[in-house]
Amino acid sequence: LSYKGDCDISLNLRAGGAEVAKVKLDNLVIQGNLVIELVRLIDVPPWFSGLRVYFPDAPEVAIDVHTEVFMLDAFYNVGTMVQTRVVQQVKSVIGGAAVLPNCFTLDFNKGMDPFRLKHPR
């Protein structure tokens, strides 16, 4: 998977009516090996009972962060701090849902045991 998103998220923080900070996130990139398994083949359409999707290893995540924090920019590299935190959170969400041993599943056969769908033999 080589996803290059064109997201554009802008945040303005105000305190007491005055603008304190601006943060802009854009150009989300997620790269890694994505496995899509057809689970338990059957002889009627759609020819399999379910779908299992996962990353064998955590994917690489990158995002561009542009910050302007008034009064702190001279003392801290706020852009790097925000970027590190955002990347950690995106990796945590992906890891909790789709990096082994976790996987995302779809059941196409309503009688399929969810345990067998989520966990290979």
Side-chain angles (χ1 to χ4, degrees):
L1 173 73
S2 183
Y3 173 79
K4 295 180 182 166
D6 59 353
C7 71
D8 187 359
I9 302 168
S10 297
L11 304 167
N12 292 329
L13 178 63
R14 294 185 168 279
E19 191 168 60
V20 177
K22 293 180 185 180
V23 178
K24 181 179 177 185
L25 308 172
D26 58 6
N27 300 323
L28 175 66
V29 176
I30 301 173
Q31 292 181 327
N33 292 328
L34 182 69
V35 176
I36 301 173
E37 284 184 89
L38 307 178
V39 179
R40 195 166 168 235
L41 299 178
I42 55 177
D43 58 356
V44 295
W47 312 117
F48 47 92
S49 298
L51 197 65
R52 186 181 300 130
V53 181
Y54 60 88
F55 289 97
D57 299 304
E60 293 297 319
V61 177
I63 192 165
D64 292 340
V65 176
H66 311 281
T67 62
E68 189 175 331
V69 180
F70 307 110
M71 305 301 262
L72 285 179
D73 278 343
F75 305 107
Y76 297 105
N77 187 349
V78 178
T80 302
M81 291 171 29
V82 171
Q83 182 178 27
T84 300
R85 187 68 175 163
V86 169
V87 167
Q88 284 175 346
Q89 291 302 312
V90 170
K91 282 184 173 184
S92 174
V93 168
I94 293 172
V99 176
L100 285 181
N102 302 313
C103 63
F104 177 76
T105 59
L106 290 173
D107 181 7
F108 296 130
N109 183 1
K110 298 303 174 198
M112 180 75 179
D113 180 13
F115 184 81
R116 292 196 62 194
L117 181 60
K118 195 137 182 119
H119 303 283
R121 290 187 208 185

